[in-house]
Amino acid sequence: MVMTNQIFQTEVKKYVENNSNLVFDPTNFSKWGKKQAEANVIEVQAGTKLLRITNTGKTQAVYHGFALPLTTSTFRQGEKLSYRMQVWVDALPDAPLGIELWSSDGGLASDSVTFTKTGVQYITGTMTVQKSSTKGREFPLEIWLMKNGQVAIGQVSLIRGETPPNEFKDDTSAQDVVTQTKVTQLYDSYAIQTLTNAGAIDTQI
């Protein structure tokens, strides 16, 4: 099919302005990993699930925190990504909170936030992708405390564009979670290794 200039512009506009939350299952955090094996991160249940980072007695930067999966691995150099998250600041951090996006071949974008008060608050910001990549990794979105403090984080949103979201939205369907669970459970199995695509999971297992 030959794509006309008008169709091309429409498709690009849809891509750039798509405000779907790219974070996988941000309500329940059914998949996440520690950033640094010794990081003190636990799950806390509130209205939605929170991940609480606790750092104490650190005299040097440690970058302890967690990492989340995304629903895409395709990013373009120069594009804007905006975030919003709920943060429960229990002990005021003495250094910034870091937010980083990674691919399997290096860092793509980053930002940092300095807190000046305790309590529940929402933080927003925009990052610029430094290089194009389609090389994903399991947990590409990292959130960490540089040194000491205690914060619990939930309702994480990451969208394309330079306008941060003004409310939380979970765009991961229940079927997406079921499918991802099957993939995780059977990661090394012959069934998963021979799947032709993600949509074939339900028919081939």
mmCIF file of all heavy atoms in Angstrom, residues 34-40 58 64:
data_model
loop_
_atom_site.group_PDB
_atom_site.id
_atom_site.type_symbol
_atom_site.label_atom_id
_atom_site.label_comp_id
_atom_site.label_asym_id
_atom_site.label_seq_id
_atom_site.Cartn_x
_atom_site.Cartn_y
_atom_site.Cartn_z
ATOM 1 N N LYS A 34 14.238 -4.886 41.537
ATOM 2 C CA LYS A 34 15.065 -3.960 42.310
ATOM 3 C C LYS A 34 16.170 -3.379 41.427
ATOM 4 O O LYS A 34 16.718 -4.061 40.573
ATOM 5 C CB LYS A 34 15.709 -4.666 43.505
ATOM 6 C CG LYS A 34 14.749 -5.019 44.626
ATOM 7 C CD LYS A 34 15.514 -5.591 45.815
ATOM 8 C CE LYS A 34 14.582 -5.890 46.978
ATOM 9 N NZ LYS A 34 15.337 -6.397 48.154
ATOM 10 N N LYS A 35 16.470 -2.110 41.669
ATOM 11 C CA LYS A 35 17.682 -1.519 41.104
ATOM 12 C C LYS A 35 18.731 -1.627 42.197
ATOM 13 O O LYS A 35 18.629 -0.946 43.210
ATOM 14 C CB LYS A 35 17.461 -0.062 40.712
ATOM 15 C CG LYS A 35 18.747 0.613 40.219
ATOM 16 C CD LYS A 35 18.486 2.017 39.726
ATOM 17 C CE LYS A 35 19.789 2.759 39.460
ATOM 18 N NZ LYS A 35 20.612 2.091 38.418
ATOM 19 N N GLN A 36 19.687 -2.488 42.027
ATOM 20 C CA GLN A 36 20.679 -2.905 43.014
ATOM 21 C C GLN A 36 20.050 -3.999 43.890
ATOM 22 O O GLN A 36 18.981 -3.800 44.481
ATOM 23 C CB GLN A 36 21.194 -1.767 43.899
ATOM 24 C CG GLN A 36 21.607 -0.507 43.163
ATOM 25 C CD GLN A 36 22.849 -0.687 42.300
ATOM 26 O OE1 GLN A 36 23.415 -1.754 42.229
ATOM 27 N NE2 GLN A 36 23.245 0.383 41.621
ATOM 28 N N ALA A 37 20.706 -5.130 43.959
ATOM 29 C CA ALA A 37 20.169 -6.296 44.670
ATOM 30 C C ALA A 37 19.922 -6.018 46.146
ATOM 31 O O ALA A 37 18.998 -6.561 46.761
ATOM 32 C CB ALA A 37 21.129 -7.484 44.509
ATOM 33 N N GLU A 38 20.748 -5.147 46.748
ATOM 34 C CA GLU A 38 20.628 -4.885 48.183
ATOM 35 C C GLU A 38 19.654 -3.750 48.497
ATOM 36 O O GLU A 38 19.505 -3.368 49.672
ATOM 37 C CB GLU A 38 22.007 -4.550 48.765
ATOM 38 C CG GLU A 38 22.635 -3.261 48.251
ATOM 39 C CD GLU A 38 23.401 -3.446 46.953
ATOM 40 O OE1 GLU A 38 23.180 -4.432 46.228
ATOM 41 O OE2 GLU A 38 24.242 -2.564 46.654
ATOM 42 N N ALA A 39 18.977 -3.222 47.503
ATOM 43 C CA ALA A 39 18.034 -2.122 47.736
ATOM 44 C C ALA A 39 16.899 -2.558 48.656
ATOM 45 O O ALA A 39 16.373 -3.667 48.536
ATOM 46 C CB ALA A 39 17.477 -1.627 46.398
ATOM 47 N N ASN A 40 16.511 -1.674 49.572
ATOM 48 C CA ASN A 40 15.409 -1.937 50.500
ATOM 49 C C ASN A 40 14.123 -1.379 49.887
ATOM 50 O O ASN A 40 13.797 -0.209 50.050
ATOM 51 C CB ASN A 40 15.704 -1.289 51.855
ATOM 52 C CG ASN A 40 14.616 -1.575 52.890
ATOM 53 O OD1 ASN A 40 13.603 -2.217 52.593
ATOM 54 N ND2 ASN A 40 14.806 -1.102 54.108
ATOM 55 N N LYS A 58 23.486 6.137 54.522
ATOM 56 C CA LYS A 58 24.322 6.157 53.323
ATOM 57 C C LYS A 58 25.182 7.428 53.304
ATOM 58 O O LYS A 58 24.663 8.542 53.429
ATOM 59 C CB LYS A 58 23.468 6.106 52.052
ATOM 60 C CG LYS A 58 22.423 4.995 52.033
ATOM 61 C CD LYS A 58 23.024 3.615 52.168
ATOM 62 C CE LYS A 58 21.939 2.552 52.089
ATOM 63 N NZ LYS A 58 22.470 1.186 52.330
ATOM 64 N N HIS A 64 19.639 3.423 44.996
ATOM 65 C CA HIS A 64 18.782 2.276 45.300
ATOM 66 C C HIS A 64 17.329 2.602 44.975
ATOM 67 O O HIS A 64 16.836 3.690 45.273
ATOM 68 C CB HIS A 64 18.890 1.895 46.773
ATOM 69 C CG HIS A 64 20.162 1.196 47.118
ATOM 70 N ND1 HIS A 64 20.470 0.777 48.400
ATOM 71 C CD2 HIS A 64 21.206 0.813 46.342
ATOM 72 C CE1 HIS A 64 21.659 0.182 48.398
ATOM 73 N NE2 HIS A 64 22.119 0.200 47.165
#
